[in-house]
Amino acid sequence: DTAALQQHALPANRAWQAVLAQLQAQRSLAAAALSTQPDHKPQAIAATQAVQAALKALDDGSVPAIVSDAAPRRRLTTPATHGL
């Protein structure tokens, strides 16, 4: 049954979406830390560690942990991300 297969794949899909959102946040923080806001370096490092942990959890099959840890992140507004 297609619906059952889709339902079964939903947690993995959500986990990947959470990882992609973390990667986008990390990219924005890293760009800001390297250019206009060097004081964001600790946040960028923490974001990198969170992404690495999420990818490891995905590899280990800890999908529910990734989805529950994917709380909305504060979006950083910089010239590079303004209006996105």
Side-chain angles (χ1 to χ4, degrees):
D1 179 42
T2 302
L5 289 173
Q6 289 176 345
Q7 187 69 24
H8 180 72
L10 193 57
N13 187 319
R14 287 186 178 149
W16 273 110
Q17 289 177 8
V19 170
L20 292 174
Q22 288 178 323
L23 282 168
Q24 180 62 38
Q26 185 273 338
R27 180 179 175 211
S28 297
L29 285 167
L34 288 173
S35 62
T36 59
Q37 299 174 331
D39 57 320
H40 284 101
K41 187 174 180 179
Q43 292 170 309
I45 292 170
T48 299
Q49 292 169 341
V51 167
Q52 291 171 340
L55 288 171
K56 183 175 178 353
L58 246 168
D59 283 343
D60 294 343
S62 303
V63 172
I66 296 168
V67 175
S68 65
D69 290 346
R73 308 281 191 260
R74 183 179 75 79
R75 187 172 189 163
L76 176 67
T77 302
T78 65
T81 62
H82 185 70
L84 293 179

